[in-house]
Amino acid sequence: MRYCINCCIHLLPNDLHRQCFRCRGPDHNNQKCPVCKGENKIPLYTHGKQMKWLAVLEVRTDHCESWNGFFCLRKGKLCSLMFGLIVMTLVMVSYILTGAKHGLLLIPSPFHYGAFASNPSLMDNESLSDMKDHYQPSKMNISYVKDYSSIKLIIDTITSKIEFITRQRPDLEELRKQEPHMFSVIPNKFLPNSKNPCWYEEYRGNTTTDPYATNSYALYSKRFRIVFDYLRKVFWNHLYHYKGKHYRLRCLPHFYIIGQPKCGTTDLYDRLRLHPEVRFSASKEPHWWTRKRFGIIRLRDGFHDRYPVEDYLDLFDLAAHQIQSVLQSEAVRERGKMNNIIIGEASASTMWDNNAWIFFYDNSTDGEPPFLIQDFIHAFQPNAKLIIMLRDPVERLYSDYLYFASANKSAEDFHEKVAESLQLFEGCVLDYSLRACVYNNTLNNAMPVRLQVGLYVVYLLDWLTVFDKDQILVLRLEDHASNMRYTMHKVFQFLDLGPLSEKQEALITKSPASNTRRPEDRSLGPMLPTTKAILRDFYRPFNTKLAQVLFDDAFLWKRT
């Protein structure tokens, strides 16, 4: 059946064009038309069904006075093509304008990303903490320059913005307002006859009560469930009974191995736990201070319920049971001797990871966190001891990349990720302070490699605002690898541990190294010489400041 493009209705079955009402000319009356019925419409019907308006462009017409036969047949397709080109042009113009507005175009540095877009109207109306609500990282391909001199300009810009400013330490009352429950659980004073910070807490459950039923570590981790299954069986045997009440011994760590990742903390942990006076948490890295207490299990999974401080204290129950046995021994009770067993915790994120602050502490000054992890640790444990293991930040970054990258690892890929991260970091320091950029969750999640973790001196200076220098022991992985016996003796002396027999010392110092580079990663070889030169330039001013703070030029890493 044929149809008339000018008509209200389809042709009659006998295909006599003269039967078409509208084609009779200008005298066509919409009121009399059996299809129009008085409406100013031009519907088109196909086998009794109304066609979409775009279909009109494809309809063939025999009634064409201004077009010849060929162009009459192609008129609809030509119009469709023109319409498509117009739409495509509008889309491209819209993309270009929007990209330029938000800093997403592939333009030369300075490179602004997400929350760091240099948009004056955005920055005037929104604080850095407000941006967390709507920021979504963009997935895009960026063309990187591999030329050393070009990237050196970016590093020079970053270096010109470096300024080490002492932070203001918050007072105790401000900390109490932020974490009232934590302050209600942990006391101000600890047992005087224990070297490790411990105290007795009344237990109000009975023999049928599961003390670990709600522990988040047990709920979310299989490896913790095994530990807690054992603790349930022996829990009641380790309670202290006094005047009809039951008490459990609670303990915090005496010392913390606070960083840095891929700097040998696992090896230090494995050797130190062999000392007869040292115990650790149920797992090497609980990450409670930096992540779990904020409800972070994995950063990519978002937030879960926050882990209360009681869940963290449960991790030290195994060690607390042993300390309790010593406290109840005759030597301690009657002869006044001390318990010398100490507990350690070795979360390598403690020194540097303050990324969660922006979601919980909104009273920020110029994008800097008002409270840091060390503020709270010091509030409860002003005498805590801290151990830091560092390595050449250039090599640390490459090791970090090889360990955490999931696919397509190569020296070339690492180079490109370094270039992108440097551009992102430059974009931040152009608008914010060094501290604001180092602790910024948005930037840290955007950078494909963790450049900020190697800025050791920035974190160390912030820890020194609350802890004395003699409470912090800073080691180098290079020294630990070349003379393990020497570094372990420094740790033993720092923690004031008792002497060891030759057999015990040999066991600690001669064990194979832990957490070494995987064979498949070794096969990738070293980083590109250009990449190493770029990173050396980037980290140099930070290493120089670190060596000045520690009065040790070995932290310049000139020979590595």
Side-chain angles (χ1 to χ4, degrees):
M1 181 180 294
R2 293 187 304 158
Y3 300 82
C4 180
I5 196 170
N6 299 317
C7 297
C8 301
I9 60 174
H10 61 74
L11 301 182
L12 296 180
N14 59 8
D15 205 14
L16 298 177
H17 195 76
R18 63 179 180 274
Q19 297 292 336
C20 178
F21 287 91
R22 189 169 181 85
C23 288
R24 292 178 181 177
D27 296 329
H28 173 73
N29 190 331
N30 289 336
Q31 300 295 332
K32 296 180 181 180
C33 177
V35 176
C36 287
K37 296 181 180 179
E39 300 179 7
N40 292 322
K41 297 180 179 180
I42 307 180
L44 196 64
Y45 287 81
T46 306
H47 299 294
K49 296 182 180 179
Q50 188 172 343
M51 294 176 64
K52 295 180 181 179
W53 68 275
L54 284 174
V56 176
L57 299 176
E58 297 293 333
V59 175
R60 178 189 177 198
T61 176
D62 291 334
H63 184 71
C64 184
E65 298 175 354
S66 60
W67 294 69
N68 60 31
F70 176 78
F71 286 101
C72 189
L73 290 173
R74 305 299 182 190
K75 179 181 179 181
K77 291 185 178 180
L78 183 61
C79 292
S80 179
L81 177 61
M82 294 294 294
F83 178 78
L85 291 173
I86 292 172
V87 171
M88 185 181 298
T89 303
L90 291 174
V91 171
M92 292 181 66
V93 170
S94 174
Y95 168 76
I96 293 172
L97 293 176
T98 304
K101 180 180 179 181
H102 294 288
L104 298 178
L105 292 180
L106 311 184
I107 57 178
S109 184
F111 186 83
H112 297 279
Y113 187 92
F116 302 105
S118 54
N119 187 330
S121 62
L122 177 65
M123 300 312 299
D124 290 340
N125 297 326
E126 297 183 72
S127 68
L128 192 64
S129 59
D130 293 332
M131 296 177 190
K132 66 181 181 288
D133 296 326
H134 68 259
Y135 173 76
Q136 295 293 335
S138 300
K139 294 181 179 179
M140 55 187 173
N141 291 322
I142 302 177
S143 178
Y144 307 110
V145 286
K146 294 187 177 182
D147 178 60
Y148 172 78
S149 59
S150 299
I151 301 180
K152 184 67 167 60
L153 294 175
I154 296 174
I155 297 173
D156 290 343
T157 302
I158 294 172
T159 302
S160 68
K161 295 293 181 178
I162 295 176
E163 193 174 4
F164 300 103
I165 302 175
T166 304
R167 67 181 288 263
Q168 293 297 316
R169 176 177 164 183
D171 60 44
L172 187 60
E173 286 306 311
E174 290 179 295
L175 298 175
R176 288 182 183 275
K177 291 178 182 178
Q178 296 299 325
E179 299 288 351
H181 178 69
M182 199 188 308
F183 279 89
S184 69
V185 173
I186 302 176
N188 296 326
K189 296 181 179 180
F190 305 116
L191 295 177
N193 56 348
S194 176
K195 183 178 177 181
N196 196 85
C198 298
W199 68 98
Y200 280 108
E201 173 187 280
E202 184 179 354
Y203 179 69
R204 294 182 173 85
N206 54 45
T207 55
T208 61
T209 304
D210 180 1
Y212 306 107
T214 60
N215 187 287
S216 300
Y217 284 99
L219 294 175
Y220 291 108
S221 174
K222 291 182 179 179
R223 72 174 183 272
F224 282 112
R225 289 173 200 162
I226 299 173
V227 176
F228 286 119
D229 285 343
Y230 170 77
L231 288 172
R232 288 186 185 95
K233 296 176 182 177
V234 301
F235 179 81
W236 195 259
N237 297 332
H238 290 277
L239 291 179
Y240 176 61
H241 309 285
Y242 181 73
K243 292 184 178 181
K245 293 183 178 180
H246 310 298
Y247 297 87
R248 65 188 296 188
L249 188 68
R250 288 294 208 177
C251 297
L252 280 168
H254 173 70
F255 71 95
Y256 296 84
I257 301 175
I258 62 175
Q260 290 285 62
K262 310 313 297 176
C263 289
T265 58
T266 300
D267 188 75
L268 179 62
Y269 161 83
D270 285 338
R271 297 180 191 283
L272 196 50
R273 67 202 295 248
L274 297 175
H275 195 287
E277 293 181 0
V278 175
R279 304 292 183 273
F280 276 94
S281 54
S283 175
K284 173 185 177 281
E285 297 186 277
H287 296 296
W288 185 79
W289 290 102
T290 55
R291 298 169 188 173
K292 300 300 191 297
R293 72 186 179 101
F294 297 109
I296 300 174
I297 299 177
R298 296 181 183 85
L299 293 175
R300 64 177 180 271
D301 296 336
F303 291 92
H304 297 260
D305 293 335
R306 299 180 70 175
Y307 288 32
V309 65
E310 292 88 345
D311 290 2
Y312 180 60
L313 297 176
D314 287 346
L315 301 179
F316 306 105
D317 276 3
L318 277 174
H321 292 169
Q322 297 180 47
I323 293 176
Q324 167 124 1
S325 298
V326 174
L327 293 175
Q328 292 179 344
S329 67
E330 182 181 350
V332 174
R333 287 189 291 109
E334 298 181 5
R335 302 176 192 173
K337 290 188 176 182
M338 288 277 293
N339 159 63
N340 289 320
I341 295 177
I342 59 174
I343 303 174
E345 200 253 70
S347 299
S349 63
T350 306
M351 181 179 180
W352 64 275
D353 190 353
N354 280 276
N355 287 334
W357 74 266
I358 197 170
F359 300 100
F360 294 90
Y361 309 134
D362 289 331
N363 53 335
S364 169
T365 302
D366 298 327
E368 296 186 9
F371 311 104
L372 296 176
I373 303 302
Q374 51 266 42
D375 298 330
F376 293 98
I377 295 179
H378 184 269
F380 300 117
Q381 299 175 259
N383 298 318
K385 294 197 172 185
L386 311 167
I387 301 175
I388 303 171
M389 182 81 88
L390 304 177
R391 72 187 290 190
D392 180 356
V394 176
E395 297 298 334
R396 193 220 69 82
L397 186 64
Y398 190 50
S399 178
D400 196 72
Y401 162 79
L402 293 177
Y403 186 82
F404 289 105
S406 57
N408 301 320
K409 291 184 286 188
S410 68
E412 292 75 16
D413 180 67
F414 176 67
H415 180 95
E416 292 187 355
K417 284 178 167 55
V418 167
E420 180 182 2
S421 298
L422 285 169
Q423 291 183 69
L424 291 168
F425 196 80
E426 178 203 23
C428 180
V429 296
L430 286 172
D431 295 328
Y432 299 95
S433 70
L434 177 62
R435 182 179 290 109
C437 294
V438 166
Y439 290 124
N440 187 269
N441 176 70
T442 303
L443 174 66
N444 293 341
N445 286 339
M447 289 194 296
V449 290
R450 301 193 294 183
L451 280 176
Q452 79 282 6
V453 178
L455 306 180
Y456 307 139
V457 69
V458 178
Y459 305 111
L460 180 61
L461 289 173
D462 284 347
W463 280 86
L464 288 171
T465 61
V466 291
F467 286 98
D468 293 336
K469 200 169 184 178
D470 60 3
Q471 292 179 261
I472 304 176
L473 175 64
V474 183
L475 304 170
R476 295 196 327 147
L477 175 60
E478 293 83 1
D479 300 330
H480 180 66
S482 62
N483 194 343
M484 196 171 297
R485 187 173 181 273
Y486 172 74
T487 57
M488 293 309 299
H489 272 273
K490 287 186 69 173
V491 174
F492 298 155
Q493 184 179 5
F494 175 71
L495 297 176
D496 193 22
L497 297 175
L500 296 171
S501 66
E502 291 184 7
K503 185 177 181 180
Q504 288 173 325
E505 185 174 318
L507 178 64
I508 292 174
T509 58
K510 294 182 180 180
S511 300
S514 301
N515 201 22
T516 56
R517 186 170 294 179
R518 295 170 295 209
E520 60 270 25
D521 292 337
R522 288 198 207 102
S523 64
L524 296 176
M527 71 184 82
L528 299 175
T530 303
T531 314
K532 179 174 285 191
I534 289 168
L535 290 173
R536 287 248 180 274
D537 290 341
F538 171 69
Y539 285 118
R540 183 175 293 111
F542 299 98
N543 293 343
T544 301
K545 182 67 175 179
L546 179 64
Q548 293 171 356
V549 172
L550 297 175
F551 300 102
D552 190 348
D553 286 345
F555 289 94
L556 294 171
W557 282 286
K558 287 184 176 180
R559 298 181 180 179
T560 57

